[in-house]
Amino acid sequence: MKEQIDIIDIGMTFQMSLDAFLEESHVGYTKNEQSYQQALLKLEESKRVRSWQKKQQIAYEALDICEDCIEAYMMLGTYEEDHAVRIQRYKEGMELATMNLGKDFFLRKVDDFYSIEQAKPLFHIKFTYACALYEAGCMRKAQQQFQEILNLNPSDAFCAHHYLYALSLYFEEYESCKELLQKYDQHSAMDCYVRFLLSLKTENYAAAKTAIPYLQAANCHFYNILTYRSMNTLSQSQSMTPKSEEEAAYIYRILNKVIHVMEYLPMFLVKSE
């Protein structure tokens, strides 16, 4: 049952990424801009159908119109039930987007490549590909992708550093985690919980106990899940208000890879309150 819920949540995450992607006006690198715009119009038809199979059919039709339509690859991956095939679709789209930009594109002196409109389709599908790898447990590959995104987009439009927090904790690369916290700490609930987990994993139990009231204040919904006071029935949403259930769902989606092996965590929290 839990696996089914996770699949639904993952699907919701990818659906939100796709919806946000399609709402933007894109400038793509393609041989024929007119065919590209026609392909985007074709993809709009997917909003009027519910069948995943029909949505995939629309995506293939869009690719017939314009083979460079990265958004079609996003849709093919989003509505694919098989995790391996989903990852492959995202990878194909990412490789095509990279090839279309060309190897010399990223050799220029640009502070943040996400500021260039032509690069945005690549960033969107690269981030979605990285998330798919992460959810499938391909942790090193996911870490490489998230780090590449952050290197090219230092302002971090996708919050890739949140996943890198989790990955550095997962691989016990604590210095990397500390460096990321120092660079990107926004005093958010995510940062608060990452600092707590870092203290626990480095056996700084005094600091971990001191952090507990701040955890409760930062997001009580996530805290209640960690202490088994409530079940994980949270679902993703495009709205992520601080201290909300939606924020708790977002934090859980990312940090679950770390906390699910920390069997002592709920007992530590309850005893230390």
Side-chain angles (χ1 to χ4, degrees):
M1 181 64 180
K2 180 183 182 299
E3 183 179 354
Q4 291 178 344
I5 293 173
D6 284 348
I7 290 172
I8 293 172
D9 286 347
I10 294 167
M12 180 66 75
T13 300
F14 293 145
Q15 178 64 61
M16 289 190 300
S17 299
L18 178 60
D19 289 345
F21 191 24
L22 292 176
E23 285 175 3
E24 296 185 4
S25 57
H26 299 150
V27 179
Y29 266 11
T30 176
K31 298 175 183 177
N32 191 325
E33 183 65 26
Q34 183 177 1
S35 66
Y36 174 61
Q37 294 301 326
Q38 290 174 348
L40 292 180
L41 285 175
K42 168 58 69 173
L43 292 180
E44 289 291 322
E45 296 179 12
S46 67
K47 296 180 180 180
R48 298 192 289 272
V49 299
R50 297 184 62 182
S51 166
W52 281 27
Q53 186 176 10
K54 180 61 178 176
K55 288 176 183 289
Q56 285 191 324
Q57 180 183 335
I58 291 172
Y60 280 118
E61 290 173 1
L63 284 175
D64 287 338
I65 296 171
C66 178
E67 61 183 11
D68 294 328
C69 185
I70 306 305
E71 293 85 343
Y73 284 96
M74 284 277 286
M75 186 170 291
L76 286 174
T78 298
Y79 298 109
E80 175 56 59
E81 294 182 0
D82 187 298
H83 290 300
V85 178
R86 170 181 286 164
I87 289 172
Q88 183 60 30
R89 293 292 175 264
Y90 290 143
K91 183 180 180 182
E92 289 170 355
M94 183 190 69
E95 290 174 345
L96 177 62
T98 304
M99 182 178 67
N100 287 348
L101 289 171
K103 64 178 182 180
D104 293 335
F105 183 86
F106 295 104
L107 297 178
R108 295 181 293 172
K109 293 183 178 179
V110 177
D111 293 333
D112 195 321
F113 282 94
Y114 191 69
S115 63
I116 302 175
E117 287 296 317
Q118 289 90 342
K120 288 186 177 181
L122 169 61
F123 277 103
H124 276 275
I125 197 163
K126 190 175 182 69
F127 178 73
T128 309
Y129 172 58
C131 290
L133 288 171
Y134 185 81
E135 296 295 349
C138 304
M139 308 301 270
R140 279 299 183 192
K141 290 182 178 180
Q143 187 179 43
Q144 178 186 353
Q145 294 298 322
F146 284 123
Q147 188 60 59
E148 288 177 4
I149 292 169
L150 199 58
N151 291 343
L152 295 169
N153 173 217
S155 63
D156 201 9
F158 299 89
C159 290
H161 71 278
H162 287 169
Y163 286 90
L164 288 172
Y165 283 160
L167 284 158
S168 61
L169 290 172
Y170 181 87
F171 288 119
E172 299 183 350
E173 297 168 350
Y174 302 134
E175 289 305 314
S176 295
C177 188
K178 291 176 183 177
E179 290 174 7
L180 284 167
L181 281 166
Q182 185 175 6
K183 184 175 182 179
Y184 289 100
D185 189 2
Q186 300 172 333
H187 306 290
S188 66
M190 172 67 80
D191 297 311
C192 186
Y193 279 96
V194 168
R195 288 187 181 279
F196 166 72
L197 293 174
L198 179 61
S199 297
L200 266 187
K201 290 182 75 68
T202 55
E203 300 182 358
N204 187 350
Y205 300 118
K209 289 180 180 180
T210 302
I212 290 177
Y214 299 101
L215 299 179
Q216 295 170 316
N219 192 298
C220 64
H221 303 291
F222 186 56
Y223 185 86
N224 287 340
I225 292 173
L226 292 183
T227 54
Y228 297 142
R229 288 182 171 91
S230 64
M231 296 179 62
N232 176 34
T233 56
L234 305 176
S235 61
Q236 289 277 13
S237 168
Q238 286 183 302
S239 173
M240 199 169 67
T241 306
K243 302 185 180 182
S244 67
E245 290 186 354
E246 290 79 15
E247 182 187 53
Y250 172 78
I251 297 171
Y252 181 85
R253 171 58 51 209
I254 296 175
L255 295 185
N256 187 43
K257 298 290 187 183
V258 179
I259 63 177
H260 88 280
V261 296
M262 301 174 68
E263 297 178 355
Y264 60 90
L265 178 57
M267 189 64 68
F268 176 87
L269 287 170
V270 173
K271 284 189 173 182
S272 301
E273 289 178 356

